[in-house]
Amino acid sequence: MPRKTLVAVDGSPQSEAALAYALEEVPESAITALHVIRLPEGYWSSFAASDAELPGYEQAQERGRNLLEEAVEAAADGGRELETEIVSGKPAREIVDYATENGFDQIVVGSHGRHGVDRVLLGSVSEAVVRRAPMTVVVVHEQPDR
């Protein structure tokens, strides 16, 4: 059975580096790119009967589709195929839940490179994924142009 790798895609340079890493370093693995639409919490969420009713949800879906289309093109440029999926919720939770429910062997995420107080105050999706995931997690740092 082929290995399965989930790559979190959010349009940041770090997630682009994560996708490039997965495409290059795990050629034997089937890769799925996952985009998570972060839902607003609090006021707006209490009035919406569904995710689609939330302000900006359609634009967020369109942005997600565009990001995943770019990921598919990047994979095709390297002679690879890529599955894609969009989910909604809290990114770290959705990434881990999707990987677990769909039998992925590993998750590849980009690091946002926050340090010190910023990391503590802002939190980190990649850090939360590492803590929660029952499978291997690879955190990729964006490499500066040399």
Side-chain angles (χ1 to χ4, degrees), residues 1 25 49 56 60 66 76 80 92 94-96 117 120 122 125-126 143:
M1 181 174 219
E25 298 297 327
N66 290 338
R80 300 286 306 272
E94 295 299 327
I95 292 165
V96 173
V117 175
V120 172
L122 298 175
V125 170
S126 57
Q143 296 297 314

Side-chain angles (χ1 to χ4, degrees), residues 5-7 19 22-23 26 29-33 80-83 104:
T5 300
L6 182 67
V7 181
L19 179 61
L23 291 170
V26 289
S29 187
I31 298 175
T32 298
R80 300 286 306 272
E81 289 185 13
L82 186 71
E83 297 293 322
F104 282 87

Side-chain angles (χ1 to χ4, degrees), residues 4 19 34 43 47 52-53 74 76 82 86 91 104 108 120 132 140:
K4 292 173 65 176
L19 179 61
L34 177 72
Y43 182 79
F47 292 103
E53 291 181 8
L82 186 71
I86 297 176
F104 282 87
V108 180
V120 172
R132 292 190 69 228
V140 178

